Amino acid sequence: MSTLHVETNGHVATITIQSPPANALSSHILNDLSVELDNIENNQSIKAIVLKGEDKFFSAGADIKEFTSFQDGSDSGSLAGKGQELFNRIENFHIPVIAAIHGAALGGGLELAMACHIRYVAEDAKLGLPELNLGIIPGFAGTQRLPRHVGAAKAYEMILTGVPISGEEAVEAGLANQSFSNDELFVSADKTAQLIAAKSGPSIHHIMKLIPYAHTTQLQEGIQKEAEAFGAVFGNEDAVEGVQAFIEKRKPEFKDK
């Protein structure tokens, strides 16, 4: 039985984690999420993803019960490697993934959210990496992604104390884009996804490749990549349609070509 529910609305796919009571990230969930990403990659009509949790939590972390089955360090290393590979895939995905975080995003749950491209949070959500409370450390790249979002000092504080921060504090720290009431959260995430999905598919794909260059290359190299992509999109039908629609003061009808 799948641990995920996937619903498609136009060009947006909403993936809901369904593993009560806390949506803990078991190996089963990681496998199911990988399969759903495969399905979305094969469905070229999908241009944005919303990722959320069912019931009270986004995800309260890794499945601690699964830890008790580990025979040695190689088992835990295998799980960490699986999670890191999947989260890297999300971060490098060809379309944007929006995390809609309510309740709690702790440990692996926060590490999953940090791999997403946009993070919307409920004002009273709890976000943190409490692994040190268990005598372990983050294993799904939490020690690497958190400092990139909040800076080293805040990352030290959050990881070493294990104390979570609220959704509002996450926005202030740069960990989340915006905070909303619980009633507004999922509506707002879907609204943003639909707004993105109304754009030309090829343009979205270029942006998903270009923005990471700001962190991984010298400025001049990134600028060169942007210039190449800028020239490429002007060979697309959508570019002709978009410019013509602007001139005619109407909404463009993109065909993702």
Side-chain angles (χ1 to χ4, degrees):
M1 182 179 296
S2 177
T3 57
L4 307 173
H5 173 72
V6 182
E7 184 176 353
T8 301
N9 180 12
H11 297 292
V12 174
T14 298
I15 301 176
T16 304
I17 303 171
Q18 295 180 321
S19 182
N23 294 326
L25 298 179
S26 63
S27 293
H28 191 179
I29 288 181
L30 298 182
N31 289 335
D32 285 349
L33 186 52
S34 181
V35 169
E36 291 304 333
L37 293 179
D38 288 340
N39 293 336
I40 290 172
E41 278 191 323
N42 293 326
N43 182 352
Q44 296 185 8
S45 70
I46 301 300
K47 295 195 280 186
I49 298 171
V50 175
L51 178 62
K52 64 180 184 176
E54 188 179 54
D55 202 17
K56 297 181 179 180
F57 298 97
F58 176 78
S59 172
D63 187 351
I64 303 301
K65 292 181 180 178
E66 197 169 22
F67 291 178
T68 63
S69 66
F70 292 162
Q71 299 298 313
D72 53 39
S74 63
D75 290 336
S76 59
S78 177
L79 177 64
K82 179 185 293 185
Q84 290 173 4
E85 181 179 1
L86 175 61
F87 295 176
N88 285 343
R89 183 182 180 189
I90 292 172
E91 188 172 56
N92 296 309
F93 211 52
H94 69 291
I95 57 175
V97 183
I98 302 171
I101 303 165
H102 74 294
L106 301 174
L110 178 56
E111 289 170 307
L112 170 59
M114 287 192 292
C116 298
H117 307 99
I118 298 172
R119 283 169 294 283
Y120 285 173
V121 292
E123 295 165 343
D124 60 355
K126 298 298 181 184
L127 297 84
L129 297 176
E131 285 87 349
L132 267 68
N133 295 334
L134 302 177
I136 59 176
I137 66 171
F140 292 158
T143 64
Q144 301 307 299
R145 286 197 174 94
L146 186 60
R148 286 169 166 77
H149 292 301
V150 303
K154 188 64 176 178
Y156 278 125
E157 179 185 56
M158 288 180 64
I159 296 174
L160 291 173
T161 67
V163 176
I165 61 176
S166 70
E168 291 183 322
E169 291 173 315
V171 174
E172 293 174 1
L175 185 54
N177 295 70
Q178 297 184 59
S179 63
F180 302 89
S181 68
N182 281 291
D183 291 338
E184 296 175 326
L185 175 63
F186 299 133
V187 173
S188 298
D190 182 69
K191 183 178 179 180
T192 296
Q194 295 291 347
L195 184 63
I196 293 169
K199 307 297 190 291
S200 167
S203 294
I204 292 172
H205 297 164
H206 279 297
I207 293 300
M208 300 308 294
K209 292 179 180 179
L210 286 169
I211 288 180
Y213 281 119
H215 296 290
T216 59
T217 68
Q218 296 293 323
L219 177 61
Q220 190 57 45
E221 184 177 348
I223 290 173
Q224 179 61 37
K225 294 292 185 181
E226 181 183 273
E228 294 170 1
F230 186 78
V233 295
F234 268 89
N236 296 332
E237 293 181 20
D238 282 351
V240 175
E241 165 63 12
V243 172
Q244 191 63 35
F246 178 82
I247 293 172
E248 297 175 0
K249 298 182 179 180
R250 60 175 174 81
K251 184 177 180 180
E253 297 181 6
F254 294 128
K255 297 181 180 179
D256 300 325
K257 296 181 179 180

